[in-house]
Structure formats: structure tokens, C-alpha cells
Amino acid sequence: MNLMTFSKYLPYIFEGSLWSLGLVLGGLGIGFAIGVTFSLVQVYGNPLLRRLISFYVWFFRGTPLIVQLFLFHWSIFPALGINSTALTTSITVLGLRSGAYQSQIFRGAIGSIEENQMLAARALGMSNWDAISSIILPQALRIAIPQISNEYSVILKDSAICFILGIMELMTRAKYAAIATGIALIPYLIAGLIYLVLTYIGTMFFNLIYLKKRIPDSVEG
Amino acid sequence: MVKDLYKRYGDKAVLRGVSFEVEKGKVKVIMGPSGTGKTTLLKCIDMLVKPDSGKIWLEDLELTDPRIDVSEARRKIGFVFQEFNLFHHLTAIKNVMIGLTKVKKLPRGEARAIAERSLLKVHIDRELWDKYPAQLSGGQKQRVAIARALAMEPMIMLYDEPTSALDPQLTREVLEVIKELAEDGMTSLIVTHEVGFASEVADEIMIMIDGRIVERGDPRSIIYDPRREETRKFFNKIMKIGDELR
């Protein structure tokens, strides 16, 4: 009997996975933009900017997501006079946090490219920016794909924590369904399964890009 | 033309007053023991390494003038590296095209036509054009690298030990290409240990030891009748190694 009432909640829970996916794609996208930019500054930028970014990375990697969410939602955004909804806060914080991690991924990838690639680009007469954008970055991005895939799976699971701000994502809906029906096992099991499936699909997707973009017969790329 | 070039790394003086000139259409070869500043010298000429003092001219343009746009000037100098340094993520033909599209801002079609011509000139046939560097042999890589530099229509080509990373068989195909280009009138400055090649191709050989050019002259007199003891020693040494290899 309870199971019958519960089945009405299935579409409700599934809809939550769209919200979760929105959080993840938003966070991953913002994180990508921040990550690429900051990694370039960390490798090629001036010492002051590099220090600032090190501080940024240190903060976002060194504090729990839940602390960051509360800090931004209840303190930093209000203090700045920004009227942020739970959704925009969540995406922003996920993005800022992922940016810290991604900047280190790209920094490592850039560092793994031989210096001679840059030298050869300059010898052709390329400006630094041309060399970075058409020689260094295309190689670094390829090298980083497996780690970005990993970052996706991390941020997907992190997104569940955004339920704390009341976002109607997967975890929140599973919890509401559990309360409404009095069944705890099935909604959480379904939520868990959906996370597994989303992780699987996402990593498959990145793997596909990786194989497609791989440089033929190369060892590392 | 290079005048009074000096360069130190820390407390090691690598270049200690180097001066010479490569006249248009001429081929000059620099030889000398390893670690005597030959690579540094070439990198200084392309302003990839900043000399501490001294001046470098490319015809009327002073490269060492701090007011000039160095990247702009580098287009006019072709640089061929010992380790080829092809761009790993680009196919052979795209390696040659990228300087044309990014630096010279040529449209793709035109860039491709020039790239094709350059590749054919270094005997890289059509079936290799879409291969990635990792799919080419060392000799093929170096010839693509030469084509990449050549496509920019440089005023001078600098070769930094272009065959030291290659085995003897592949060495020959690369040297053959460099020689053909030189015979076509390409102004060239070549650092090499290949004595036979140097004697065939060079208008003048300069011997560099400890950051100085100690002796220079036409190949015959430099190789077979050097005036200085250190030059004699150097040639004895590399010829002996050559004999052993044979």
C-alpha cells in the first residue's frame, strides 16, 4: 500500500536528478573557466597574482563544502548586498570550489608539457599568447581530460550537500519522499542508484572525448 | 651579423666575445666540443636567450635593440632544433601551417598550399602529411621541422645540431635536405659534428672552443691543416670516434 503511494514520488525524485545535473554542469563549467585562467596565471603570471591564487586554492581546498555554502549564503553574499537564491549560491560555490581543484589539474598538465614546445612556438615568431592558446593549452587540455572526468564524479557527489540550502536536487527530494511515505530505504536507494548511473554516464562521456581527442600513438596524451 | 656577443649563466661565461657574419646566400658551419656555447649562440641569435652584451643584426634590423618587437623579428629566422620539437598535437602538415595561420595570419587555403610546397621540398610525401609526430621516424620529424621553419620564408636558417639525435641512416636524409636548401641559396648557420657534411656544404667553418671562435677558414684548410693545436685535437677526436663507428 505504501509502495503504491511511493510510486507517485518516482517522477518527483527523477526530476531532482535534473537539478543535480544542473548544479554539476554549472559548477564544472564555472570551475573550468576559473581553473584554466588561474592555472595560466600560476604558471606564467606575476608573483603577486600567483600568491593570491595560492591563497584562493588553499582556502577552497582546505575547508568543507558545507562551510563554504553557509559562509557564502548567509554571510558573504548578504554582506556584499547580493541577493542570492539557494540555487545561484550553490552553483557559484561549487564553481569556485571546483575552480580551485581544476586550477591545480591544469597547472600540473601545463607543467608536464616540455619547455621545448614553448621554445619552438616562440622561434616561429608566436607571441606568448599565441603560443599558449594554440600550442600549450590544446595539449594541456588533452592531458587533463581523465582528471576532469574524476572532478566531475567528485562534484556530482558534492552536489548532494547543497540540499542543506534547500535546493530541490536529488538528495532533497529523496529525503522529502522518505518523510512523506514513511519509507526510508527505497528513496535513498533510488537516489544512490541515480548517482551511480550519472557517474557512469559522465565518466563514459569523458572517456569518449579522451579517446576521440587522443593524439595517435603518443604515450601520454 | 653578430658582434661581440657575451653571455654568462651564473658564474659560467658561455659566450666570451663572439663576432662573425653570415653573408646572404652563404653557409657557415660552427664546430667545436660539446658545452662550448654553440647552442647558446644560436639561441641568442634568435633572441630565445637574451645575450648579456653585444649586438646582432639581421641585415639592417638590430635584433638586440630593446625597442623592436622580438616575435616579429623571429619570423624572419628559421630555427631547427636538435630535438625537432614538433608540436605533438598537430599533424605534420598542421605543424607547418600553424606559423603561417597564427603568425603570418594567412588564410588556411594559402597556408596549406605553402605548407605542401615546403613539405615536398624536404621530401615528405603526401601520405605522411596527416601523420602525427609520434607516428614519424626521427629523420621524418626533423625534415618536417625544417619544412616548418622554411615555410615562414626566413632570411636565414639556424640549425642546432640537427642530426645529433638521429642514427646514421636517418642523418643522411636530413643532411641531404639541408644541403639541397643551401645549394638553392638559403643563407644558413649550422652547428654540427658531421665533418664530411661540413666540408661539403660550408663556405666557411668556424671552430668554437670555450665561448670563443678560435679559428675560421675554408673547410679544407680548417679540417686538414688547422693552424691551432686545439682545433687539431678536436678534429682528431671526432674523426677517431667516426672511425670507430665505421
Side-chain angles (χ1 to χ4, degrees):
Chain A
M1 171 220 104
N2 271 345
L3 275 180
M4 282 304 287
T5 34
F6 177 76
S7 65
K8 284 191 294 189
Y9 280 92
L10 277 178
Y12 175 78
I13 294 179
F14 285 141
E15 201 190 319
S17 52
L18 292 179
W19 284 75
S20 293
L21 223 48
L23 289 172
V24 171
L25 295 181
L28 212 57
I30 294 171
F32 180 79
I34 294 176
V36 170
T37 314
F38 282 14
S39 67
L40 289 177
V41 176
Q42 268 194 320
V43 178
Y44 301 107
N46 80 46
L48 178 70
L49 288 175
R50 291 212 297 251
R51 286 192 77 121
L52 282 173
I53 289 171
S54 298
F55 175 77
Y56 172 94
V57 171
W58 176 71
F59 172 78
F60 277 99
R61 291 207 303 185
T63 50
L65 176 60
I66 194 163
V67 173
Q68 294 163 7
L69 284 168
F70 279 11
L71 204 59
F72 276 85
H73 201 57
W74 305 120
S75 171
I76 294 177
F77 283 157
L80 294 172
I82 298 169
N83 197 357
S84 179
T85 64
L87 182 68
T88 51
T89 304
S90 301
I91 291 182
T92 311
V93 171
L94 284 173
L96 291 172
R97 179 181 174 82
S98 183
Y101 282 98
Q102 289 192 51
S103 71
Q104 298 315 293
I105 293 174
F106 291 125
R107 183 188 176 186
I110 293 170
S112 73
I113 298 169
E114 315 145 42
E115 258 173 67
N116 277 340
Q117 293 283 304
M118 188 71 176
L119 197 67
R122 285 169 56 216
L124 270 183
M126 287 193 194
S127 63
N128 277 339
W129 174 244
D130 276 342
I132 289 169
S133 66
S134 52
I135 304 300
I136 304 297
L137 270 184
Q139 294 188 42
L141 294 181
R142 282 179 173 84
I143 294 169
I145 292 171
Q147 285 167 283
I148 296 301
S149 171
N150 186 50
E151 175 65 10
Y152 161 85
S153 75
V154 169
I155 198 173
L156 172 65
K157 283 160 280 174
D158 275 357
S159 75
I161 296 175
C162 297
F163 99 105
I164 209 83
L165 294 184
I167 305 259
M168 295 307 285
E169 49 73 57
L170 189 50
M171 184 60 199
T172 314
R173 288 174 189 245
K175 186 184 165 204
Y176 286 173
I179 292 168
T181 57
I183 302 171
L185 176 66
I186 295 172
Y188 291 131
L189 214 54
I190 290 174
L193 271 173
I194 294 176
Y195 280 117
L196 279 172
V197 169
L198 289 179
T199 305
Y200 181 74
I201 294 173
T203 46
M204 285 305 280
F205 171 74
F206 280 106
N207 205 20
L208 215 67
I209 301 182
Y210 176 71
L211 292 176
K212 209 173 146 52
K213 285 287 166 191
R214 217 180 101 82
I215 303 165
D217 291 315
S218 69
V219 186
E220 79 274 82
Chain B
M1 179 174 151
V2 172
K3 190 154 189 247
D4 276 341
L5 218 55
Y6 283 85
K7 175 75 194 175
R8 313 178 62 87
Y9 285 122
D11 56 0
K12 185 169 167 30
V14 183
L15 298 179
R16 304 190 297 165
V18 176
S19 303
F20 63 90
E21 191 170 346
V22 186
E23 298 84 2
K24 202 164 176 209
K26 297 281 188 209
V27 177
K28 303 256 166 139
V29 168
I30 302 178
M31 306 187 84
S34 305
T36 52
K38 302 185 300 294
T39 296
T40 305
L41 172 64
L42 289 195
K43 284 184 176 165
C44 280
I45 295 174
D46 206 7
M47 295 302 281
L48 293 167
V49 166
K50 223 172 115 56
D52 297 335
S53 67
K55 288 190 157 104
I56 300 160
W57 284 275
L58 192 61
E59 291 190 348
D60 295 334
L61 180 69
E62 190 200 324
L63 301 176
T64 33
D65 183 343
R67 289 163 303 181
I68 68 151
D69 178 354
V70 184
S71 334
E72 172 93 32
R74 282 198 197 106
R75 305 175 189 185
K76 303 184 183 115
I77 301 174
F79 200 109
V80 176
F81 297 89
Q82 185 177 344
E83 320 83 350
F84 332 129
N85 297 342
L86 290 180
F87 303 127
H88 304 306
H89 63 304
L90 299 175
T91 58
I93 191 154
K94 289 201 170 137
N95 259 283
V96 183
M97 284 170 67
I98 195 151
L100 300 168
T101 53
K102 292 284 166 189
V103 178
K104 285 197 164 175
K105 314 272 182 227
L106 295 183
R108 288 187 64 84
E110 201 179 322
R112 198 178 161 94
I114 296 173
E116 288 177 356
R117 251 179 285 142
S118 301
L119 285 168
L120 290 174
K121 217 173 204 170
V122 299
H123 311 302
I124 295 288
D125 297 328
R126 194 172 291 269
E127 68 263 19
L128 295 176
W129 291 355
D130 293 321
K131 299 267 188 228
Y132 286 86
Q135 300 169 312
L136 300 173
S137 75
Q140 291 165 343
K141 279 187 220 176
Q142 191 60 298
R143 284 183 287 140
V144 172
I146 293 171
R148 175 175 69 179
L150 206 60
M152 300 295 284
E153 297 180 325
M155 292 161 69
I156 182 170
M157 289 282 277
L158 309 178
Y159 299 92
D160 182 14
E161 301 193 24
T163 59
S164 340
L166 301 173
D167 59 47
Q169 203 177 350
L170 301 176
T171 296
R172 195 164 313 137
E173 67 185 48
V174 171
L175 294 182
E176 209 48 54
V177 161
I178 297 173
K179 203 173 140 201
E180 283 171 24
L181 295 174
E183 281 162 0
D184 275 358
M186 186 78 236
T187 312
S188 309
L189 179 60
I190 306 170
V191 171
T192 183
H193 292 301
E194 301 285 337
V195 183
F197 166 70
S199 70
E200 280 173 43
V201 80
D203 292 302
E204 184 182 54
I205 293 181
M206 298 181 276
I207 303 297
M208 195 164 161
I209 292 174
D210 287 336
R212 280 205 190 97
I213 291 173
V214 295
E215 186 164 359
R216 62 177 74 188
D218 65 276
R220 234 154 226 297
S221 59
I222 285 278
I223 297 172
Y224 298 107
D225 187 23
R227 271 165 295 147
R228 295 182 63 121
E229 189 52 33
E230 56 226 286
T231 311
R232 195 184 307 271
K233 268 191 195 149
F234 166 68
F235 277 114
N236 278 342
K237 215 171 180 178
I238 56 174
M239 304 276 218
K240 216 162 155 194
I241 294 170
D243 287 342
E244 277 162 19
L245 284 176
R246 247 171 263 134

